[in-house]
């Protein structure tokens, strides 16, 4: 019995706890503040620990954990009033900011001047659907298929959210860089 | 036998024609999938690669998009704070002793 219990937590530590950074990063982007993010991660890890016997070994543990985290966020952390509204197409997504910078800074070196705080703020201002897709893909490096599985949407939807989220984020950072004089 | 070979050749030609027809707008539509290595069709991948190598319009934008994604990967991450790790290990120990 004790041996079984030890093997249980050892397996959990080895396979699940290595993804703590990913969980925290996604939690932070969902909740928008460190205190809630920490509570959300702890809640997620406990749920995963209790359900560890149900986790199918050898499948994608990170995607499994992020799915639990997202469901926990929806059920326990998100206030009803804050449910994301469906996002309308915005004309800012039609044009890449590359067209505006190609003569002055085609390599996008202005990105390097942007402070961390502003990067966080810009990501946070994205609509939730886009924000989650961008963070899972571009920060955490998950594939379109993994993201589709976590969010329960078709791969085509992931592609479109990524496209629109990236375009909006670029525009937001570009406008900040202009304000700060990082682009001549 | 002849028919099978002929059909295969015809299908291949259609695919090649599709790939060859990719103009700059077509490239831009697929650019993120190309960068993310999410395209399944190797012909399409090589058609896009060939186009990017030659095209003075698309190549700089491709480089710009890659720079943007590199920037996001480097600057968008937040590791779990040590106190959270400690808190979680503590909580798991309690959980273990209760079960």
């Amino acid at each position: 019995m004790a041996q079984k219990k030890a093997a249980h937590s050892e397996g959990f530590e080895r396979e699940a706890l290595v993804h703590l950074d990913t969980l925290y990063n996604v939690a932070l982007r969902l909740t928008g503040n460190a205190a809630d993010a920490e509570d959300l991660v702890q809640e997620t890890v406990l749920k995963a620990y209790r359900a560890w016997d149900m986790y199918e070994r050898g499948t994608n543990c990170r995607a499994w954990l992020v799915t639990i985290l997202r469901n926990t966020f929806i059920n326990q952390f998100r206030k009803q009033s804050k449910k994301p509204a469906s996002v309308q197409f915005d004309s800012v997504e039609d044009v890449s900011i590359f067209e505006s910078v190609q003569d002055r800074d085609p390599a996008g070196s202005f990105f390097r001047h942007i402070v961390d705080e502003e990067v966080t703020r810009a990501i946070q201002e994205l609509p939730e659907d886009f924000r989650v897709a961008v963070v899972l893909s571009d920060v955490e490096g998950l594939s379109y298929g993994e993201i589709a599985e976590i969010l329960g949407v078709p791969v085509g939807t992931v592609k479109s959210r990524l496209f629109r989220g990236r375009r909006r984020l670029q525009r937001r950072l570009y406008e900040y860089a202009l304000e700060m004089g990082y682009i001549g | 036998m002849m028919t099978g070979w002929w059909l295969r050749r015809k299908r291949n030609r259609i695919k090649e024609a599709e790939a060859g027809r990719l103009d700059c707008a077509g490239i831009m539509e697929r650019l993120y999938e190309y960068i993310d290595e999410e395209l399944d069709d190797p012909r399409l991948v090589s058609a896009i690669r060939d186009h990017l190598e030659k095209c003075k319009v698309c190549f700089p934008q491709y480089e710009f998009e890659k720079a943007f994604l590199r920037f996001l990967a480097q600057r968008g991450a937040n590791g779990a704070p040590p106190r959270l790790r400690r808190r979680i290990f503590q909580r798991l120990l309690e959980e273990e002793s209760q079960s």
Side-chain angles (χ1 to χ4, degrees):
Chain A
M1 188 62 191
Q3 238 175 359
K4 200 180 160 196
K5 216 159 56 173
H8 179 99
S9 39
E10 215 176 89
F12 185 76
E13 275 176 34
R14 199 177 47 240
E15 282 190 64
L17 287 188
V18 292
H19 300 300
L20 218 51
D21 283 337
T22 296
L23 291 178
Y24 180 72
N25 198 26
V26 178
L28 195 60
R29 302 312 186 185
L30 281 171
T31 62
N33 72 80
D36 283 345
E38 289 187 25
D39 289 346
L40 176 55
V41 172
Q42 174 164 322
E43 188 62 30
T44 303
V45 170
L46 278 177
K47 276 190 190 170
Y49 181 78
R50 289 171 192 152
W52 188 236
D53 289 335
M54 320 244 279
Y55 165 69
E56 225 177 291
R57 301 293 181 271
T59 59
N60 193 332
C61 190
R62 186 160 64 146
W64 181 71
L65 290 165
V66 176
T67 307
I68 297 177
L69 181 122
R70 184 171 171 273
N71 292 337
T72 307
F73 171 73
I74 290 170
N75 296 329
Q76 282 169 250
F77 283 75
R78 184 159 69 201
K79 313 252 177 335
Q80 281 301 317
S81 59
K82 280 174 117 187
K83 254 188 191 167
S86 64
V87 192
Q88 300 301 314
F89 262 99
D90 194 321
S91 57
V92 302
E93 295 157 13
D94 294 341
V95 190
S96 164
I97 58 155
F98 178 71
E99 287 174 28
S100 314
V101 298
Q102 57 182 335
D103 297 329
R104 290 170 289 174
D105 185 1
S109 22
F110 70 87
F111 286 126
R112 285 201 293 271
H113 299 294
I114 299 174
V115 294
D116 285 345
E117 241 172 62
E118 196 56 33
V119 179
T120 302
R121 195 172 309 147
I123 294 177
Q124 213 53 44
E125 279 174 17
L126 286 176
E128 189 182 301
D129 285 345
F130 297 175
R131 196 191 322 138
V132 173
V134 166
V135 168
L136 290 177
S137 160
D138 301 345
V139 183
E140 297 302 330
L142 270 68
S143 70
Y144 293 2
E146 288 175 309
I147 299 170
E149 191 193 313
I150 290 169
L151 301 181
V153 298
V155 169
T157 306
V158 173
K159 274 186 219 171
S160 134
R161 286 182 186 176
L162 274 179
F163 180 86
R164 299 172 63 193
R166 286 166 174 176
R167 283 266 167 110
R168 282 190 185 212
L169 193 54
Q170 284 180 346
R171 163 95 26 205
R172 173 73 176 66
L173 294 168
Y174 164 71
E175 282 163 3
Y176 170 79
L178 271 185
E179 267 172 42
M180 299 300 287
Y182 298 149
I183 303 172
Chain B
M1 277 297 275
M2 279 297 280
T3 324
W5 167 81
W6 182 80
L7 260 182
R8 266 202 305 281
R9 203 175 76 156
K10 191 177 168 196
R11 272 196 215 113
N12 284 345
R13 280 197 176 162
I14 290 172
K15 274 195 171 177
E16 274 162 27
E18 268 172 359
R21 262 208 312 274
L22 272 175
D23 55 5
C24 296
I27 297 288
M28 283 305 125
E29 231 169 76
R30 298 302 195 104
L31 188 59
Y32 281 141
E33 286 167 82
Y34 175 76
I35 296 174
D36 294 334
E37 297 180 7
E38 291 275 356
L39 291 167
D40 299 327
D41 184 354
R43 282 165 198 277
L44 187 56
V45 173
S46 61
I48 294 178
R49 190 172 47 233
D50 291 349
H51 181 106
L52 287 174
E53 273 170 17
K54 288 181 219 132
C55 181
K56 288 192 176 84
V57 179
C58 293
F59 186 75
Q61 183 156 357
Y62 163 65
E63 289 289 304
F64 177 81
E65 294 293 348
K66 278 201 304 185
F68 169 66
L69 293 176
R70 260 198 312 274
F71 156 82
L72 266 188
Q74 287 162 2
R75 304 280 298 283
N78 287 281
R83 68 165 178 276
L84 175 64
R85 282 178 197 280
R86 284 195 297 272
R87 202 174 123 186
I88 283 175
F89 276 105
Q90 189 57 39
R91 193 68 189 75
L92 286 178
L93 280 177
E94 287 167 24
E95 189 80 8
E96 241 178 271
S97 59
Q98 278 164 17
S99 61

